[in-house]
Amino acid sequence: MKALLKKFTGSRIRKQSLGGQDEMYDAEVFCIFQYQGKDYPCKASIKQTVGSSYESRGIEVYRVEGLPAGALYDHDTFAETARHYYTERVVKLGD
């Protein structure tokens, strides 16, 4: 049985560097996964580096933290959903 994303619950920018060679956003998205009938608060790190557009796949989404050991989930689907959430919440609200 795979863990399923229920919803995103928030986000935060951990570090923002503008200008120069190291321009980037380092952020986290917070979410709830359901696994075997239980809800688990989780998070994933996101990094957007210089030159990557908000719509691009150049936004890296790291593995989900907070699931029980051995719980599987579809990372590609989660990453796409997390990119969309990130661009809507973190990037566009910051403009």
Side-chain angles (χ1 to χ4, degrees):
M1 170 184 268
K2 285 189 177 182
L4 299 175
L5 175 66
K6 275 183 80 173
K7 65 180 179 177
F8 286 98
T9 58
S11 59
R12 76 177 174 114
I13 295 175
R14 293 188 299 203
K15 182 178 179 184
Q16 177 181 356
S17 300
L18 300 173
Q21 295 291 341
D22 296 328
E23 187 171 289
M24 56 80 100
Y25 277 100
D26 180 4
E28 290 177 316
V29 291
F30 301 94
C31 54
I32 302 291
F33 267 82
Q34 188 171 62
Y35 181 66
Q36 296 182 341
K38 294 183 181 178
D39 290 348
Y40 292 90
C42 298
K43 69 178 180 177
S45 296
I46 291 184
K47 184 176 181 184
Q48 180 182 5
T49 56
V50 66
S52 58
S53 70
Y54 301 143
E55 295 82 19
S56 80
R57 290 182 147 284
I59 299 171
E60 299 174 65
V61 178
Y62 295 89
R63 303 234 11 112
V64 170
E65 299 174 30
L67 287 171
L72 301 175
Y73 70 100
D74 183 339
H75 183 74
D76 291 338
T77 300
F78 171 76
E80 190 62 35
T81 305
R83 279 186 201 94
H84 178 73
Y85 180 81
Y86 167 79
T87 57
E88 291 297 315
R89 297 282 303 169
V90 177
V91 176
K92 289 186 180 178
L93 291 177
D95 287 345

